[in-house]
Amino acid sequence: MFLALKELRYEKTRYALVAGIMFLISFLVLFVSGLAQGLAFNNASSLETMNVDHFVLDEEAEHQLTRSLVSDEDQQVIEDGEVDATPFGLHMTMLIREEASNVDVAMMSVDFNSPIAPTIIEGQTPSEGQTLIHESIQEEGIEIGDVVTDNASDMEFEVSGFTEDQTFSHAPIMHVHEEDWREMRDGEFIVSTIAIHGGEEEAAQVGEQLTDSEVITLDEALAGIPGYSAEQGSLTMMIVFLYIIAAFVLAAFFYVITIQKLNQFGIMKAIGSPVSVLAKSLLVQVMILSAVSLTLAIVVTLGASQIMPEGLPFQLTGTMVAISAGLFLLTAIVGSLLSLYKVAKVDALEAIGGAK
Amino acid sequence: MNAKLSLQHVQKTFTDGDRTLTVLKDVSFDIFPGEFVAIVGPSGSGKSTMLSIAGALLSPSSGKLLLDGKNIADASEKERQLIRLHQIGFIFQSSHLLPYLTVKDQLMLMTRLSKESKKDAEQRAERLLTELGLRHRLHQYPERLSGGERQRVAIARAWMNEPDLILADEPTASLDTERGQHVIEQLAQQVKQQKRAAIMVTHDERMLAYCDRVITLEDGAVS
Ligand SMILES: Nc1ncnc2c1ncn2[C@@H]1O[C@H](COP(=O)(O)OP(=O)(O)O)[C@@H](O)[C@H]1O
Ligand SMILES: [Mg+2]
């Protein structure tokens, strides 16, 4: 600590620059992580907020909720079984508006008294001929009381209220009454998916009884949404690369500094310092620089998320911050390994230029 | 009385590419506690190499190196590090101070490395620096000191862990005559008072007056 701190203090400018670079990189890592998480949530917030870990889907739907159609037989089996489950219908469609552009939406129908019913933040539960839409639809100028037309069925709906966290495939969800959902399919209630309440055990229990359907996890359901994996995949790749870049940049910085200081390490060794003291001093410096720049990056990222425009999907949970911080510290340590090796190897006499 | 340090048929060869260069051919001598020995000889005769070997900075190619009767010629890097830290004070030709430590901290570093208690050390550091006329420089960084002042700090640092053996490679080269003589006078005094041993490589004839004995090195051998 003694050496590490004294040197940081003496070489303020140099280490401030290094800390500055570390701050920028960690800020970028946090920001992209927040964006990835925000986009993931924004893509399918309805599934994420259901608090359901397993879904029953048509075997042939390839994990795509909007392609799935659970057979009557399997519906009946689940209804007769002991496990709590909520069926719902879901498909993608479009709202037609006169003198305004059309809007993509996901239409969903679910029992408004079920555990997975949407949370209404304004207005009221729809009756027949009415619909609840995710609040983001307001950006399109749609208000409570407006009448919208569904392109697929040509049916008209009056907006009865707005919900929160109800999106699917980045589109706002419009919840319609069960009777309207039936009417669209000539009186039959089409069940796309059944949400299973409970854990692994219940999911397995349901799975055993199915004939044409299968049980998939929330993650599989998310990955099944068209574009979801590609979106998350490219963001994850960006994050991974940021860590790799961080490791290399830090390694280069620490290495250059270490090379410049070889003479000092040589002096230290010549006067009898063990390698451990030198290594510890280097690591303490790396830790201090990382901690300072990380703290700054976290504060700035959280501050930035406050002033970001509404439409920008950004979400950074405490867990995510902790994981990123841990990974970044690890990256910094990995980056300093080369320098540590160099310090351990330095020959005292050589480094101070012979016994001059 | 047993020798503090004893070199017996020490040989040192450097390989430089495919050439081998025998810098020390056969060097033998003893230093006893309370003795202050000067090493003189032409440039390139191997004085610095010999001193580095005596200071556990270099290993001899062959021969024995006895410190307090124990052969340390083949000591491991770890053992040599401990010897350098606790038993030897090395004064280099240039001061080799750490740029980021104040004068006092340069000395405190030594006791930190040897894990000594801080209280005694502070007093000793201040006393040493005062004796060397650096009282007013305690809290300054090396960059603010003159060459002579830096060298005196290096001398104080070498004394700090109270080693039994002091090795100095042309310590007065960067000092003016008066300062140089003063510094060597103090070194000689410390050696006498505390029954330590010291070896000093020097080019300066006037410094020899303070030494008990002069060893001349020529072409890698004592002449
Ligand atoms: N590490 C080394 N590798 C090769 N040759 C060296 C090395 N160190 C010293 N020498 C050579 O050894 C000889 C003696 O050097 P040195 O001990 O510094 O002499 P002095 O101090 O008496 O001037 C010189 O010719 C020098 O070039
Ligand atoms: Mg020399």
Side-chain angles (χ1 to χ4, degrees):
Chain A
M1 281 300 256
F2 178 75
L3 285 171
L5 290 177
K6 300 255 170 186
E7 203 210 338
L8 285 183
R9 198 186 312 162
Y10 186 77
E11 297 277 9
K12 278 188 219 71
T13 329
R14 161 188 298 195
Y15 287 110
L17 281 174
V18 178
I21 294 282
M22 293 173 83
F23 158 72
L24 288 175
I25 296 178
S26 49
F27 172 68
L28 206 57
V29 165
L30 285 170
F31 196 85
V32 177
S33 303
L35 218 53
Q37 224 180 10
L39 272 174
F41 187 77
N42 180 270
N43 191 328
S45 56
S46 66
L47 297 191
E48 306 226 26
T49 46
M50 272 181 189
N51 203 13
V52 166
D53 287 330
H54 297 90
F55 299 90
V56 174
L57 259 74
D58 183 347
E59 265 175 354
E60 279 156 24
E62 291 176 336
H63 295 187
Q64 284 192 36
L65 269 68
T66 48
R67 264 199 212 170
S68 169
L69 207 157
V70 180
S71 67
D72 294 345
E73 200 183 341
D74 284 337
Q75 283 184 46
Q76 199 58 49
V77 165
I78 294 173
E79 203 174 307
D80 295 344
E82 285 169 6
V83 176
D84 277 347
T86 311
F88 62 93
L90 178 74
H91 73 184
M92 301 303 293
T93 180
M94 196 165 64
L95 292 182
I96 309 278
R97 296 189 298 168
E98 272 174 36
E99 287 165 35
S101 57
N102 301 338
V103 190
D104 285 319
V105 292
M107 189 183 283
M108 184 163 166
S109 183
V110 64
D111 180 356
F112 287 111
N113 294 317
S114 75
I116 62 169
T119 310
I120 301 171
I121 53 169
E122 205 186 330
Q124 58 202 18
T125 311
S127 45
E128 268 178 76
Q130 289 186 322
T131 181
L132 268 176
I133 313 186
H134 180 241
E135 53 176 340
S136 66
I137 200 78
Q138 292 172 96
E139 288 161 24
E140 300 289 340
I142 291 173
E143 290 165 20
I144 293 181
D146 284 4
V147 174
V148 294
T149 310
D150 168 36
N151 184 45
S153 63
D154 250 353
M155 286 169 66
E156 290 193 336
F157 296 93
E158 184 201 351
V159 179
S160 73
F162 296 120
T163 57
E164 68 173 357
D165 297 337
Q166 289 293 331
T167 54
F168 184 82
S169 197
H170 286 304
I173 290 183
M174 63 181 291
H175 281 89
V176 296
H177 195 272
E178 286 170 90
E179 284 310 319
D180 290 327
W181 185 258
R182 265 199 190 93
E183 195 185 321
M184 273 175 219
R185 303 298 161 98
D186 306 322
E188 193 190 350
F189 189 96
I190 301 280
V191 171
S192 314
T193 309
I194 301 172
I196 302 172
H197 305 295
E200 296 289 339
E201 214 173 292
E202 285 80 0
Q205 200 178 325
V206 170
E208 280 171 15
Q209 309 165 328
L210 301 173
T211 38
D212 311 316
S213 313
E214 59 175 342
V215 174
I216 67 169
T217 63
L218 172 63
D219 285 339
E220 286 169 334
L222 289 172
I225 300 173
Y228 184 95
S229 298
E231 189 178 284
Q232 288 298 306
S234 47
L235 286 167
T236 308
M237 196 168 80
M238 263 172 81
I239 297 170
V240 169
F241 269 95
L242 276 177
Y243 279 113
I244 296 174
I245 292 170
F248 274 98
V249 169
L250 295 183
F253 266 88
F254 295 146
Y255 192 68
V256 168
I257 291 180
T258 303
I259 295 293
Q260 283 184 338
K261 285 177 15 185
L262 275 192
N263 164 277
Q264 292 171 23
F265 290 121
I267 295 172
M268 289 288 294
K269 281 192 176 178
I271 61 176
S273 166
V275 177
S276 60
V277 167
L278 304 179
K280 205 179 110 195
S281 158
L282 181 76
L283 279 180
V284 167
Q285 287 182 341
V286 170
M287 286 289 118
I288 291 175
L289 290 175
S290 309
V292 168
S293 41
L294 257 177
T295 311
L296 205 63
I298 292 171
V299 169
V300 171
T301 311
L302 294 181
S305 72
Q306 297 297 312
I307 57 169
M308 261 181 243
E310 270 292 313
L312 198 70
F314 188 91
Q315 201 183 53
L316 204 58
T317 56
T319 330
M320 197 68 192
V321 170
I323 292 174
S324 304
L327 272 176
F328 195 76
L329 279 182
L330 202 69
T331 309
I333 293 178
V334 168
S336 61
L337 287 181
L338 186 63
S339 299
L340 279 179
Y341 174 79
K342 193 79 191 163
V343 167
K345 281 282 155 225
V346 60
D347 179 80
L349 262 191
E350 231 170 79
I352 60 177
K356 283 191 210 113
Chain B
M1 190 163 51
N2 287 328
K4 180 79 210 161
L5 178 76
S6 173
L7 274 72
Q8 299 176 358
H9 308 295
V10 164
Q11 204 195 22
K12 182 67 187 175
T13 322
F14 287 113
T15 38
D16 187 9
D18 42 53
R19 275 181 337 125
T20 59
L21 182 69
T22 305
V23 175
L24 299 180
K25 288 178 184 133
D26 181 2
V27 177
S28 300
F29 63 83
D30 293 338
I31 306 278
F32 295 91
E35 236 188 346
F36 189 9
V37 173
I39 308 260
V40 296
S43 176
S45 56
K47 304 185 296 295
S48 294
T49 305
M50 194 279 295
L51 209 64
S52 299
I53 289 174
L57 280 163
L58 263 186
S59 297
S61 303
S62 68
K64 279 185 177 173
L65 180 68
L66 305 181
L67 183 65
D68 290 321
K70 183 175 175 276
N71 188 12
I72 59 163
D74 304 312
S76 69
E77 176 50 42
K78 181 73 202 164
E79 288 169 309
R80 288 194 283 127
Q81 174 250 314
L82 289 170
I83 290 168
R84 290 201 295 273
L85 179 59
H86 298 289
Q87 290 176 267
I88 292 170
F90 209 113
I91 303 160
F92 301 93
Q93 196 167 336
S94 55
S95 52
H96 287 319
L97 300 176
L98 294 165
Y100 53 86
L101 292 183
T102 61
V103 166
K104 190 174 157 193
D105 282 340
Q106 305 273 349
L107 272 63
M108 295 307 292
L109 169 64
M110 297 310 293
T111 53
R112 272 177 182 270
L113 290 176
S114 63
K115 306 215 164 68
E116 202 189 314
S117 91
K118 202 168 152 222
K119 194 79 209 84
D120 304 346
E122 289 216 10
Q123 282 175 1
R124 188 163 70 248
E126 283 175 23
R127 195 195 67 226
L128 274 170
L129 290 167
T130 307
E131 280 172 15
L132 287 164
L134 292 164
R135 169 99 232 158
H136 59 300
R137 294 296 201 194
L138 287 184
H139 302 294
Q140 266 163 23
Y141 290 102
E143 60 179 9
R144 299 280 302 276
L145 308 184
S146 70
E149 286 172 325
R150 275 183 227 164
Q151 194 61 357
R152 278 181 278 154
V153 176
I155 291 169
R157 179 177 67 182
W159 274 119
M160 192 58 195
N161 276 356
E162 306 192 308
D164 291 337
L165 181 62
I166 295 275
L167 304 172
D169 196 352
E170 305 189 33
T172 57
S174 58
L175 303 183
D176 60 56
T177 313
E178 203 182 326
R179 267 292 177 216
Q181 272 180 334
H182 183 65
V183 164
I184 299 308
E185 204 179 288
Q186 282 174 326
L187 191 59
Q189 225 173 46
Q190 303 253 30
V191 170
K192 294 288 161 236
Q193 278 171 5
Q194 296 167 33
K195 279 271 171 206
R196 296 176 193 222
I199 306 178
M200 171 174 71
V201 171
T202 184
H203 271 133
D204 195 338
E205 300 278 321
R206 282 161 300 190
M207 302 302 168
L208 300 182
Y210 301 99
C211 302
D212 303 307
R213 195 147 57 94
V214 178
I215 295 175
T216 308
L217 214 58
E218 237 167 303
D219 263 346
V222 178
S223 64

